[in-house]
Amino acid sequence: GESVGLHLPTLSVQEGDNSIINCAYSNSASDYFIWYKQESGKGPQFIIDIRSNMDKRQGQRVTVLLNKTVKHLSLQIAATQPGDSAVYFCAESPGGTGRRALTFGSGTRLQVQP
Amino acid sequence: DAGVTQSPTHLIKTRGQQVTLRCSPKSGHDTVSWYQQALGQGPQFIFQYYEEEERQRGNFPDRFSGHQFPNYSSELNVNALLLGDSALYLCASSLDGSSYNSPLHFGNGTRLTVT
């Protein structure tokens, strides 16, 4: 498949280590945040989301942290596996209607070394 | 349960031509959004359809238009193609209402190349 994110920031980690991917957002009116994983040749795949009334949410091997004071979002992946290698995007949605016109960040490439 | 399906997967067109891309939403979803993803960048919102009406639109020219059918499927039309329209076009579906319980589900996209 075609490569996604040819010139993106890259995070390289060893298999089994924890990964932290960071994202800064700009719209203080955003109240919904979401992380997607995109593998080469595929569309974005939902990982985890969080509302602005929360500062932490956990899923299976993943945790999202939200710091509204500094408008910062992070995705933590525990025990990173080779299958986690992909481009990761954060996205935000303003307003409270949940109409989901997402604004995406530029992405981070995660490379997992075996 | 089929997810979001898009057709065709790849398409090559010449400048000035017109193109139509198609999308079937995930079963049970009634809202379709379209995004454009240039190489090396995040997706950009084009517009969203609900109840066969364009409900919200991003910063794209009128050359980009769409349609939603009674079965919730959707089409994206682009007229007078420019070289800069070359991108991956992504369709995403969701269930209307709070996004908090129904995040966007994306298809694998249509890769459009304009020569």
Side-chain angles (χ1 to χ4, degrees):
Chain A
E2 188 160 343
S3 176
V4 173
L6 297 179
H7 304 290
L8 293 173
T10 298
L11 174 65
S12 186
V13 300
Q14 290 293 125
E15 182 178 358
D17 286 351
N18 296 333
S19 302
I20 299 176
I21 301 172
N22 296 304
C23 175
Y25 65 92
S26 57
N27 190 346
S28 56
S30 292
D31 77 333
Y32 175 69
F33 304 88
I34 188 166
W35 281 98
Y36 283 94
K37 170 187 180 184
Q38 189 171 25
E39 297 173 285
S40 185
K42 295 186 178 181
Q45 176 187 357
F46 170 77
I47 302 173
I48 191 168
D49 57 3
I50 188 168
R51 297 171 60 176
S52 59
N53 62 352
M54 304 170 67
D55 54 20
K56 180 179 180 179
R57 191 175 186 204
Q58 289 183 292
Q60 185 177 13
R61 282 202 308 119
V62 295
T63 301
V64 56
L65 299 177
L66 175 62
N67 185 330
K68 294 180 290 294
T69 303
V70 295
K71 290 188 281 189
H72 183 268
L73 194 66
S74 68
L75 176 70
Q76 300 178 357
I77 304 174
T80 314
Q81 303 168 359
D84 295 326
S85 294
V87 177
Y88 289 79
F89 292 98
C90 66
E92 59 183 295
S93 179
T97 62
R99 293 274 170 86
R100 299 181 215 89
L102 295 175
T103 299
F104 281 78
S106 56
T108 297
R109 179 187 301 281
L110 176 65
Q111 290 181 338
V112 182
Q113 309 297 329
Chain B
D1 180 19
V4 178
T5 58
Q6 293 186 243
S7 63
T9 55
H10 294 81
L11 201 53
I12 299 175
K13 289 286 189 179
T14 304
R15 273 180 301 175
Q17 286 188 317
Q18 178 265 344
V19 68
T20 298
L21 310 181
R22 295 175 175 82
C23 171
S24 291
K26 179 180 169 64
S27 178
H29 285 182
D30 58 6
T31 303
V32 173
S33 301
W34 287 91
Y35 287 77
Q36 180 195 66
Q37 186 176 25
L39 203 59
Q41 298 182 21
Q44 282 196 294
F45 175 72
I46 303 175
F47 42 53
Q48 183 182 88
Y49 277 83
Y50 172 68
E51 291 189 339
E52 303 179 48
E53 296 284 336
E54 181 182 294
R55 178 161 69 178
Q56 195 171 0
R57 188 180 184 93
N59 188 25
F60 278 80
D62 292 344
R63 298 187 297 110
F64 289 76
S65 64
H67 189 79
Q68 186 180 34
F69 299 94
N71 67 352
Y72 308 120
S73 67
S74 177
E75 288 181 348
L76 164 66
N77 301 293
V78 186
N79 294 323
L81 284 166
L82 304 174
L83 294 179
D85 295 331
S86 295
L88 181 67
Y89 288 85
L90 294 162
C91 174
S93 72
S94 54
L95 183 62
D96 185 59
S98 171
S99 62
Y100 312 135
N101 297 318
S102 178
L104 282 181
H105 289 256
F106 283 86
N108 286 329
T110 294
R111 169 63 62 185
L112 173 64
T113 302
V114 182
T115 62

